[in-house]
Amino acid sequence: MIDLTLDEVARITGGTLVLGDHAVAQGTNESTIVNGLVDTDSREIGTGGIFVAKPGEFSDGHLFIPAAIDNGADLVICERVIDDLAVPQIVVADSVDALAALATEVVRRIRAGGVLKVVGITGSNGKTTTKNLVRTILERRGPTVAPRDSFNNEVGAPLTMLKLESDSQYLVAEMGASKPGEISRLVRMARPDVGVVLTVGLAHAGEFGGIEKTLQTKTEMVTDLLSTDVAVLNIDDFRVEGMAAKTSASVLWFGLESGADVRATDLVATSTGTTFTLSLPTGESQSVRFGVLGEHHVMNALAAAAVAHTLGVPLAEIVDALQSVTRAERWRMEVLPTTKGVTIINDAYNASPDSMLAGLKTLAQISGEGIRRVAILGEMSELGEFSLAEHDRIGRTIVRLGIERIFVIGEGARALHLAATHEGSWDGESAFFETADEAYALLETELRPGDVVLVKSSNSAGLRFLGDRLGELFA
């Protein structure tokens, strides 16, 4: 984080500065500088860090203040006075609001230097992959800050923004939401120069209350953009396409359709990635050997290329950076290294109907003599009233794709198993297990050389750990 005095942090967050048990008059600590990394996880705090104590659903961050100080915290931001602390504390009304205010001010100050460019990315699927691709391109040109993992909510996004330094040239902000208004909140913090919308689908539809609420929320990315900004939109998604009428920004389209400004043609998907021709609005084009497994990830590559083009990156640099990426992210279409003839694709960090279908289509595309395709599937969470119908639809689709063996794990995915069984043309195509351990016991003996295995579920189902176990088994 940039240098701030204790008094500045107190003013920005609307808090009261406290040393020991006594409030400190404003102005007495203007020479005390804090500039460490900010976090809500005491385990991530290091020397000079700033710990934000956030009450949570299952625990209270205030209980971990001593651990944060032991790990090196120089300042605590909290919602109540904590007695006998060895470091200053700033007491605020709401720690999440304080975090947002601090992030907003840090971004504003660095922007005032005239160098920082901000990219905001949202969508029902592909945010993390696109963020990683944009970061890979931009960090070659200058200091770039982007979130780790999927830090894209009201806490994770500002924590990422607070990693900015005075010389940062690019901020890549992944912006997720579980309800309307959350993306607007993040957009107001970061003020993107480039706002990206990838897709609008059923991911988190249960939380939003339907696809129309999801559309309304994702549209928040572009409604506050200025006329000098750029909205990078997916022309292949009709819901995203409609956002062009909702923004004052200029629009740059990406996709496979002929009307796209940044377009992919001549796609060839294989078990090692996808090759395609990337075309820019300048008329330039170049072949790309994209090593991220799954044809659907080409759309993420196009979005990243559109962002880079907007920021003045030459085509050759864009292509070179894209070709350097071999996996989307940990547990996202991650091909695990094995030596015993079994290929494990671990894609069990997130799952929506769209991403589940994309993963299964990728599995279906992998064919050849001696190859048996195996799907190990768990629940797609946060679908609410759509859950039964969507699991049923995916179960029937699997059989139609010709995937030879299906293992379904967990009660939340039982409807998928039943649908596959009803749709199947032979007995035993799909097997159901209550737990991952039960499935593993059979998979140990059933998987054989030549099998290609996709492990896919929402994070909450925990199948990513099963995927890792299988990777170790056949390593």
Side-chain angles (χ1 to χ4, degrees):
M1 191 179 77
I2 62 174
D3 290 351
L4 294 171
T5 68
L6 289 176
D7 276 345
E8 283 180 313
V9 176
R11 285 196 296 269
I12 292 165
T13 59
T16 300
L17 179 61
V18 175
L19 290 178
D21 297 328
H22 305 285
V24 177
Q26 300 297 314
T28 61
N29 284 275
E30 291 182 353
S31 62
T32 303
I33 303 294
V34 289
N35 58 9
L37 290 179
V38 184
D39 216 302
T40 57
D41 187 338
S42 62
R43 296 166 297 183
E44 299 294 331
I45 293 293
T47 302
I50 300 171
F51 179 62
V52 180
K54 181 181 75 69
E57 184 177 357
F58 302 107
S59 187
D60 185 348
H62 292 78
L63 300 175
F64 299 95
I65 290 175
I69 293 173
D70 287 344
N71 287 338
D74 276 352
L75 173 66
V76 171
I77 297 175
C78 49
E79 294 184 3
R80 59 179 182 268
V81 175
I82 307 298
D83 293 334
D84 302 321
L85 286 192
V87 302
Q89 55 189 298
I90 293 175
V91 183
V92 298
D94 185 295
S95 57
V96 174
D97 287 345
L99 192 63
L102 192 58
T104 301
E105 179 63 12
V106 166
V107 173
R108 187 194 69 79
R109 292 192 184 195
I110 298 175
R111 268 191 174 286
V115 175
L116 182 68
K117 293 294 184 182
V118 179
V119 179
I121 301 170
T122 196
S124 297
N125 298 291
K127 293 186 294 297
T128 300
T129 300
T130 303
K131 172 261 297 182
N132 288 340
L133 295 173
V134 173
R135 176 181 59 195
T136 299
I137 297 169
L138 295 182
E139 66 187 2
R140 297 180 173 200
R141 298 181 67 82
T144 301
V145 172
R148 71 175 192 259
D149 302 325
S150 293
F151 269 39
N152 60 28
N153 63 9
E154 61 180 0
V155 174
L159 287 178
T160 298
M161 297 173 203
L162 290 170
K163 291 182 179 179
L164 287 167
E165 301 286 352
S166 57
D167 65 344
S168 297
Q169 293 184 30
Y170 302 105
L171 168 64
V172 186
E174 185 179 336
M175 298 182 178
S178 57
K179 61 180 181 292
E182 290 187 352
I183 291 176
S184 282
R185 176 183 172 96
L186 299 179
V187 167
R188 287 193 295 270
M189 287 184 212
R191 292 296 176 189
D193 301 280
V194 184
V196 183
V197 186
L198 300 166
T199 60
V200 175
L202 283 173
H204 313 294
E207 292 183 334
F208 284 114
I211 193 69
E212 290 306 316
K213 284 286 188 182
T214 304
L215 173 59
Q216 173 189 333
T217 302
K218 299 304 181 186
T219 304
E220 293 171 11
M221 172 59 76
V222 302
T223 51
D224 285 343
L225 294 179
L226 305 177
S227 60
T228 52
D229 299 331
V230 179
V232 172
L233 302 179
N234 180 358
I235 198 171
D236 295 353
D237 185 317
F238 74 94
R239 293 187 178 93
V240 177
E241 187 180 18
M243 294 181 189
K246 306 289 187 181
T247 185
S248 299
S250 58
V251 174
L252 187 69
W253 299 106
F254 70 91
L256 306 182
E257 292 186 7
S258 59
D261 301 303
V262 177
R263 186 185 181 203
T265 54
D266 308 319
L267 277 69
V268 178
T270 69
S271 59
T272 58
T274 307
T275 61
F276 63 94
T277 299
L278 171 62
S279 300
L280 298 182
T282 57
E284 301 171 279
S285 63
Q286 188 171 331
S287 178
V288 181
R289 298 182 302 279
F290 190 46
V292 178
L293 185 63
E295 186 177 288
H296 56 290
H297 282 303
V298 170
M299 294 298 289
N300 301 325
L302 290 176
V307 169
H309 172 71
T310 296
L311 296 176
V313 183
L315 175 60
E317 287 186 31
I318 295 172
V319 171
D320 186 58
L322 291 177
Q323 292 186 152
S324 73
V325 179
T326 57
R327 73 173 186 181
E329 176 71 69
R330 181 83 164 97
W331 296 313
R332 289 175 172 88
M333 295 303 284
E334 181 182 16
V335 181
L336 302 180
T338 60
T339 59
K340 299 179 181 178
V342 178
T343 300
I344 307 294
I345 305 168
N346 197 350
D347 190 29
Y349 191 84
N350 276 319
S352 67
D354 291 336
S355 69
M356 181 73 82
L357 183 58
L360 291 166
K361 285 183 175 178
T362 298
L363 180 62
Q365 288 175 332
I366 299 172
S367 60
E369 187 176 351
I371 289 179
R372 182 177 66 152
R373 296 158 298 183
V374 179
I376 303 172
L377 307 174
E379 181 181 10
M380 300 177 289
S381 62
E382 301 178 353
L383 291 178
E385 64 182 286
F386 306 99
S387 181
L388 180 60
E390 289 303 316
H391 282 90
D392 181 272
R393 181 171 70 91
I394 293 295
R396 296 179 187 278
T397 301
I398 297 170
V399 178
R400 295 167 188 168
L401 288 171
I403 294 169
E404 291 85 355
R405 194 74 168 97
I406 307 163
F407 294 82
V408 181
I409 302 169
E411 191 60 36
R414 185 183 286 274
L416 193 158
H417 163 68
L418 294 174
T421 301
H422 293 154
E423 187 74 18
S425 56
W426 62 88
D427 186 47
E429 184 177 23
S430 179
F432 177 79
F433 302 87
E434 292 284 352
T435 69
D437 286 341
E438 292 173 3
Y440 181 81
L442 179 60
L443 289 162
E444 277 186 296
T445 58
E446 175 152 333
L447 295 181
R448 57 180 186 255
D451 286 351
V452 179
V453 183
L454 172 69
V455 185
K456 180 72 175 171
S457 74
S458 286
N459 193 19
S460 58
L463 295 196
R464 63 194 186 280
F465 303 119
L466 174 61
D468 284 345
R469 288 177 69 188
L470 293 172
E472 293 170 2
L473 178 65
F474 295 102

